[in-house]
Amino acid sequence: MTATTTPPGTSTPYSELKAPTTARRLLTAPTTGPLVALLLACVFFSVSSDQFLTGGNFSLIVQQVMVVGTLAIGQTLIILTAGIDLSCGAVMAFGSIVIAKMAAEGSLPPLAAIALGLVVCGGFGLLNGALVQKIPLPPFIVTLGMLNVAFALTHIYSEEQTVTNLPGPLTALGQTFPLGNTDITYGSLVTIALFLLLAYALSNTGWGRHVYALGNSPEAARLNGIRTSRLTIGVYTVAGVLYGIAALLLISRTGVGDPQAGQTDNLDSITAVVLGGTSLFGGRGSVLGTFIGVLIVGVFRNGLQLMGVASIYQTLITGVLVILAVTVDQLSRKKAR
Amino acid sequence: MSRTTRPSSSLLRAAAVTGVAALTLTACGSGSGSDTASSGSGSVKVGLITKTDTNPFFVKMKEGAEKAAKENGAELSTAAGKFDGDNAGQVTAIENMVASGVKGILITPSDSKAIVPAIEKARAKGVLVIALDTPTEPESAVDALFATDNLKAGELIGEYAKAAMKGKSAKIATLDLAPGVSVGVQRHNGFLKGFGIEEGDSSIVCSQDTGGDQAKGQTAMENCLQKEPGINVVYTINEPAALGAFTALKAKGREKDVLIVSVDGGCTGTEAVKDGTIAATSQQYPLKMAAEGVKAVVTYAKDGKKASGYTDTGVTLITDKAQDGVTSKDTAYGLENCWG
């Protein structure tokens, strides 16, 4: 991996603009820390468990993180604008119930039900963005409120019943295809494709650069002619649509519409974003970092389970890693000043 | 450094990072790829997946499984959802346990329907799956079920309450679990059956969900008393809800003249029966569920015999104020056999 440039959006102080060495750039690239952590975890679990490096295990880990991973892409976009979204899991749960019920009860053809789910989730995002931008209200408060709204709607609309007997297209992404001696889940590919797509959009389009600019300083962005209001609402809407895709992945993974789903996914997605080196202050970070962050959580959960360690320790370790990640972020900012 | 990066270079970087992340996981060489559950060390691997890590009922269940695993020379690994109803967490746990080569999985399903596809996948790989405490829907989705007969647990306290009221007109509050959760529905229906009334009977003056939580039980009871101050019988889904109800009754000075009945038989709850806070409780035996489950997996590993069907792990009515015609044991027995 060769980082030839500092990723856009990482604010490089003026003093460092004099051609930093490759080594230094690698050390300060926001994805380096998380990647090293992932490597170390991998080495550790390879040594401690015979099953960690079996063919199917990597596929398994990606399959297990695809739902939170997809949520975390949307969460990354919002956090890059210095916002936060507490409603993502609840919005996803509502989307999944909409898709499942509409399709299972035959009100809509499966593909139309999926489209409706994406629209509904996008609508939640649009509403979040509009409230944040137009009133304006703090994202934390807006999305906290929306969390409760979406949660309640999920339980009202589902009548607390798990929706079963779903038509085939809804669970298609949960199917697997063989690759060598490993089974790969289609949904995993969707998640990886989304990560690559958004990574490209953030680093190679004007829109992406504007998102970073907005996160660094909304005022400066506005003075530079960026339509910050439209941009903010757009980011929340895109995130909402991503939650809709996560809803579909969730259904395909479990094969049912579950009103209880996603209750801790908001914090889990924020965890992935933070572990991936994205700053909660906005303007610094990347979705690829988030991909690594979500894999770190997945690798620890899977590896500890293979070692036979109780799941509560996974929670403990995740907590420690989050604090470490934020500490690293803060220290690197100090150095940069 | 210029702000304009060439598309190619950052795309390359994106691909590189993803590639390295992927390689990181697979680099060290993909293994044999054998999916069959084979234990190399000779000891049988058993997995236990509970609803949560924190509920004393499941903590006790885990202890029972650990003890049984030691006795039978099995290796136990445990996992749990993050909250009651966390289906995704349980699915992940099943996958990881199958990957680690367990011979059998014992599970208390958080969502009886939603967990079924994951269980089917595990069984297709030759893993024995046994439900503990809570049945799956359909029940045939697992090889076997070791559980309390929750309908009977409810019936026992219903009969007891009926006998204790001695013909006085009852005003009943039911503090239930949550909509659609089978354990709660069965206990509730059992209580009504034992009391000899139908759902919607005029003697049921208030029904509230508590999630089996003490604070919510208290709130529910406060609201019920607000609605109907004359309540004299309280059915509760479990002892935490019962203790919450007691606190609410005490605040109104009603704790002496209201009959509280419950289900669970945890040690705290059984103590509460002893000191008269709760009149009677139906005690269940989570340790036994887990121990029987572990034994069944070991048997399957040894001679390929799969446990099947429903095994009732028993329920006992515990009270110090025995009523004629209702079989019960005192709290001395209850405390000897309680869990938690």
Side-chain angles (χ1 to χ4, degrees), chain B residues 157 160-161 164-165 173 175 191 221 231-239 241-250 254-263 272-273 276-281 318-319 321:
Chain B
I157 52 174
Y160 176 88
M165 287 305 284
L175 302 191
F191 172 80
M221 193 69 231
I231 289 169
N232 51 17
V233 177
V234 183
Y235 151 85
T236 56
I237 175 72
N238 67 1
E239 285 134 10
L243 295 173
F246 181 81
T247 309
L249 287 162
K250 202 171 170 185
R254 298 282 322 279
E255 74 273 19
K256 289 279 183 283
D257 51 7
V258 176
L259 182 86
I260 303 176
V261 290
S262 194
V263 178
V273 175
T277 303
I278 300 171
T281 194
I318 303 291
T319 181
K321 301 174 196 136

Side-chain angles (χ1 to χ4, degrees), chain A residues 42 53 63 204 253 268 302, chain B residues 7 10 24 31 82 95-96 111:
Chain A
C42 171
L53 291 169
Q63 170 189 323
N204 292 64
R253 176 159 159 68
D268 291 350
N302 170 274
Chain B
S10 71
T24 301
K82 277 196 289 248
E95 289 169 345
N96 287 338
D111 186 323

Side-chain angles (χ1 to χ4, degrees), chain A residues 30 51 53 75 78 88 103 125 128 211 217 229 260:
Chain A
Q51 294 99 352
L53 291 169
Q75 188 73 261
I78 289 173
C88 60
N128 275 335
V211 169
S217 167
S229 168
Q260 303 278 356

